[in-house]
Amino acid sequence: MEGTLERIEGFLGIIIIIAIYFGIRFFFKRIANYTEVAGKNSNSLEELKEEIKKLNTKIESLENRINKDS
């Protein structure tokens, strides 16, 4: 009976270690996804700023062309 009890305790210990492993893995996967999304947002923000600068220069050149024609 004691041998069976020790086996059950060992089995439960392994199950607990596996559960902890998956919990930690899930936690770090969430953090990695969050940081990846945050990095993409900052890159897209820089791209948007560049696009706005390009559009502003185009608007200015069009305004200049309109003023020349008037």
Side-chain angles (χ1 to χ4, degrees):
M1 187 75 176
E2 288 183 25
T4 307
L5 194 58
E6 289 173 359
R7 286 183 187 169
I8 292 173
E9 287 175 351
F11 182 71
L12 287 176
I14 291 171
I15 296 294
I16 289 171
I17 289 172
I18 291 171
I20 290 171
Y21 167 77
F22 281 115
I24 292 172
R25 187 173 173 217
F26 175 77
F27 175 73
F28 282 112
K29 194 180 260 190
R30 281 281 179 105
I31 291 174
N33 286 340
Y34 174 76
T35 55
E36 180 182 359
V37 169
K40 285 182 181 177
N41 286 342
S42 66
N43 289 340
S44 65
L45 182 62
E46 291 298 321
E47 290 173 2
L48 286 174
K49 286 181 181 179
E50 290 297 319
E51 189 67 27
I52 289 172
K53 286 180 184 178
K54 289 178 187 176
L55 291 173
N56 281 337
T57 56
K58 286 182 181 181
I59 289 171
E60 287 177 14
S61 68
L62 288 173
E63 286 176 343
N64 290 336
R65 286 172 66 186
I66 290 172
N67 288 337
K68 282 183 181 179
D69 291 340
S70 298

